[in-house]
Amino acid sequence: MADAKVIPFDDDRSRGNGASGAGSGENGGSAPPRPSRRRGGAARRKGAAGAAGGAPAGEVQPLPVRGGAAREDDGTAPHGPSGTASGRPAGDDGVPGDDGAAGGDGGLERRIAGGLAFLRRRLTGNYEIDDFGYDAELTDQVLMSMLRPLYENYFRVEVKGVENIPAEGGALIVANHSGTLPLDGLMMQVAVHDHHPADRHLRLLAADLVFVLPVVNELARKLGHTLACAEDAERLLAQGELVGVMPEGFKGIGKPFGERYKLQRFGRGGFVSTALRQGAPIIPCSIVGAEEIYPMIGNSKTLARLLGFPYFPLTPTFPWLGPLGAVPLPTKWTIQFGEPIRTDGYAPEAAEDPVLMFNLTDQVREQIQHTLYKLLVQRRSVFF
């Protein structure tokens, strides 16, 4: 596999566009919005990978700029900025609008009808994805249902401070990154999706390695993930989306077990600059429990170079136990969202002030680190 070029999120340089022909300017500006269009069955079978702009393997370009579109009346509810398919949470069976309160044959018939309608839309291609490849209906009814048992029963995630996330408008959630494999981002996504009272959906920014891996690329796009670059982040914030970023990157998830819960460098403050340009609040997020799922006691740099990975982890169980060694340990997780740090009171040119960016970056980092220490003191056990 070709070596993956990791594009740091804090790189504000202008990036070239993909095969679609739309691009961003030096300051992250965008071309005039164009309405998106509903895709037919043939186009849909190509998958959301095409939304990446046809970039070659190993280098993923930011997506072309296009505006959102109103959904046609096809019997399904429109998607809002929160990313929900129905305007309210799906029921336990994954069918929007069925809260499980109705019982008997009527409730069963509704579930069956909803399931058949869902299958019909998937088979005919009569559903919508946005310009980033995000498939709200598939995420709500299938992908979140697949992640939820891991979230609720395996890691038993406890969520705190979800009320600090605004009910509407763009906001940037900044979290620590750990765990050898990036499961913490997915669990944070489920936490927002299932617990936020306004049914918001978190759009994660990911390294370009994610978008050159088969299958992973397709699933990441459908879950609403996009490239960790300033252009894509600003577009999402401007659309009123909730955006998640983990500035530690590979330095965070690939650090040795002996350095657990010690935050790595947050880069040059690119996420702060993006938030300042959009006037979006920054919400620090601290995640405890992910560090212990794959205790990384070594790193095979030779294998990492051969496979094109930033690191190749050696844990007490992997690769010694084969596939069984890839099963994460069932640790107890806590995810806490801190109080927002407002940025709308700064002038537009503040985004170019390096002193201000350094101070805000340090403030976010210190708040996350302090909360991590506090949660660790309160934790009774790694597993309980």
Side-chain angles (χ1 to χ4, degrees):
M1 186 177 86
D3 290 348
K5 177 183 176 184
V6 179
I7 304 176
F9 175 65
D10 54 7
D11 186 357
D12 290 331
R13 296 175 299 173
S14 176
R15 302 173 187 266
N17 51 343
S20 58
S24 299
E26 246 180 61
N27 298 321
S30 59
R34 295 177 296 170
S36 61
R37 61 182 181 274
R38 178 176 304 280
R39 303 184 180 182
R44 180 68 53 201
R45 286 191 291 271
K46 296 180 181 178
E59 182 173 355
V60 181
Q61 301 294 339
L63 292 165
V65 177
R66 291 191 294 171
R71 190 180 178 95
E72 296 177 10
D73 185 10
D74 60 353
T76 59
H79 298 331
S82 64
T84 56
S86 62
R88 61 190 178 112
D92 293 337
D93 56 356
V95 179
D98 185 0
D99 58 3
D105 294 340
L108 178 61
E109 289 176 359
R110 279 195 295 273
R111 287 193 290 271
I112 293 175
L116 292 175
F118 172 79
L119 290 176
R120 181 174 65 251
R121 290 192 296 273
R122 308 312 296 187
L123 293 174
T124 60
N126 189 23
Y127 58 94
E128 186 177 282
I129 62 174
D130 70 5
D131 292 333
F132 296 89
Y134 170 49
D135 190 330
E137 182 181 52
L138 185 68
T139 296
D140 289 339
Q141 299 193 29
V142 178
L143 300 180
M144 284 295 163
S145 299
M146 295 171 63
L147 291 172
R148 198 165 287 121
L150 191 67
Y151 173 91
E152 293 180 347
N153 303 321
Y154 198 78
F155 294 136
R156 295 147 291 147
V157 181
E158 180 183 359
V159 180
K160 299 179 179 180
V162 72
E163 66 276 3
N164 289 320
I165 301 174
E168 58 184 14
L172 187 66
I173 295 181
V174 182
N176 60 304
H177 207 12
S178 61
T180 305
L181 291 181
L183 297 179
D184 51 356
L186 296 176
M187 296 300 102
M188 184 170 65
Q189 200 171 1
V190 179
V192 174
H193 183 275
D194 286 4
H195 294 278
H196 195 277
D199 305 325
R200 302 210 66 177
H201 183 81
L202 181 62
R203 308 292 293 269
L204 290 176
L205 304 177
D208 65 333
L209 176 62
V210 171
F211 302 107
V212 298
L213 295 175
V215 181
V216 174
N217 164 50
E218 183 81 7
L219 291 175
R221 286 293 185 190
K222 289 187 177 298
L223 273 166
H225 303 180
T226 190
L227 185 64
C229 67
E231 291 91 340
D232 283 3
E234 287 189 30
R235 283 184 57 199
L236 287 171
L237 289 174
Q239 294 170 12
E241 297 283 1
L242 192 61
V243 180
V245 61
M246 295 172 163
E248 293 178 280
F250 292 126
K251 301 188 301 293
I253 57 175
K255 64 177 177 288
F257 185 66
E259 298 180 13
R260 60 192 179 279
Y261 298 115
K262 296 179 182 178
L263 292 183
Q264 304 299 300
R265 183 173 173 267
F266 268 21
R268 299 190 298 271
F271 69 91
V272 170
S273 176
T274 300
L276 285 170
R277 288 193 183 98
Q278 296 298 323
I282 300 174
I283 303 166
C285 176
S286 303
I287 304 174
V288 165
E291 292 275 17
E292 295 89 0
I293 60 173
Y294 296 111
M296 186 169 166
I297 58 177
N299 177 20
S300 177
K301 296 182 180 179
T302 301
L303 283 175
R305 284 195 300 269
L306 289 175
L307 296 173
F309 295 155
Y311 58 88
F312 188 88
L314 303 176
T315 75
T317 58
F318 182 83
W320 331 113
L321 299 183
L324 185 61
V327 177
L329 296 178
T331 58
K332 175 74 169 63
W333 287 35
T334 301
I335 299 178
Q336 179 161 335
F337 300 98
E339 294 185 4
I341 299 173
R342 300 184 65 87
T343 65
D344 53 357
Y346 295 96
E349 58 270 17
E352 308 301 328
D353 184 350
V355 176
L356 176 62
M357 285 194 297
F358 175 82
N359 290 335
L360 286 177
T361 301
D362 192 57
Q363 180 182 353
V364 175
R365 187 179 182 278
E366 287 300 319
Q367 187 167 335
I368 295 173
Q369 185 70 81
H370 177 75
T371 305
L372 287 175
Y373 288 149
K374 181 180 177 181
L375 293 174
L376 288 171
V377 169
Q378 296 172 351
R379 184 169 68 168
R380 295 178 300 169
S381 167
V382 173
F383 299 100
F384 305 102

